[in-house]
């Protein structure tokens, strides 16, 4: 199965966390929404973080395809929404 690679950029510290692997953007977004109310920097300061895609991973062959990070959304767009 082809899975997608995601990065979370800390805009204050100016570096990327990750990569994180998920089936698609919707499943990664769902995983992030589960952070609401947690005691993590992502949930405490969501305006400081942005989500990017950066490639894919084939879990059958182990092949990784990458591309330059592409911005998808900011964490505060989903963690502060209701």
């Amino acid at each position: 199965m082809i899975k997608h690679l995601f990065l979370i950029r800390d805009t204050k510290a100016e570096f990327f966390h990750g990569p994180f692997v998920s089936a698609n953007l919707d499943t990664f977004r769902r995983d992030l929404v589960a952070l609401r109310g947690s005691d993590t920097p992502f949930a405490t300061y969501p305006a400081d973080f942005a989500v990017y895609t950066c490639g894919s991973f084939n879990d059958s062959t182990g092949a990784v395809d990458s591309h330059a990070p592409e911005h998808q959304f900011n964490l505060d767009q989903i963690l502060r929404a209701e």
Side-chain angles (χ1 to χ4, degrees):
M1 173 180 199
I2 302 295
K3 296 186 178 179
H4 299 271
L5 300 176
F6 298 92
L7 302 169
I8 298 178
R9 180 164 172 73
D10 183 326
T11 59
K12 298 288 186 192
E14 299 183 352
F15 72 90
F16 287 95
H17 296 266
F20 303 94
V21 178
S22 193
N24 56 52
L25 185 58
D26 291 332
T27 58
F28 191 61
R29 184 186 309 258
R30 180 183 63 201
D31 294 341
L32 293 170
V33 167
L35 293 174
R36 275 192 194 136
S38 69
D39 187 26
T40 65
F42 298 139
T44 305
Y45 307 104
D48 294 347
F49 299 97
V51 173
Y52 290 75
T53 54
C54 65
S56 61
F57 168 68
N58 184 323
D59 67 2
S60 296
T61 66
V64 175
D65 290 317
S66 65
H67 56 74
E70 295 176 10
H71 182 261
Q72 299 300 312
F73 56 88
N74 295 332
L75 278 186
D76 62 343
Q77 291 175 275
I78 62 167
L79 293 185
R80 296 279 187 220
E82 214 21 59

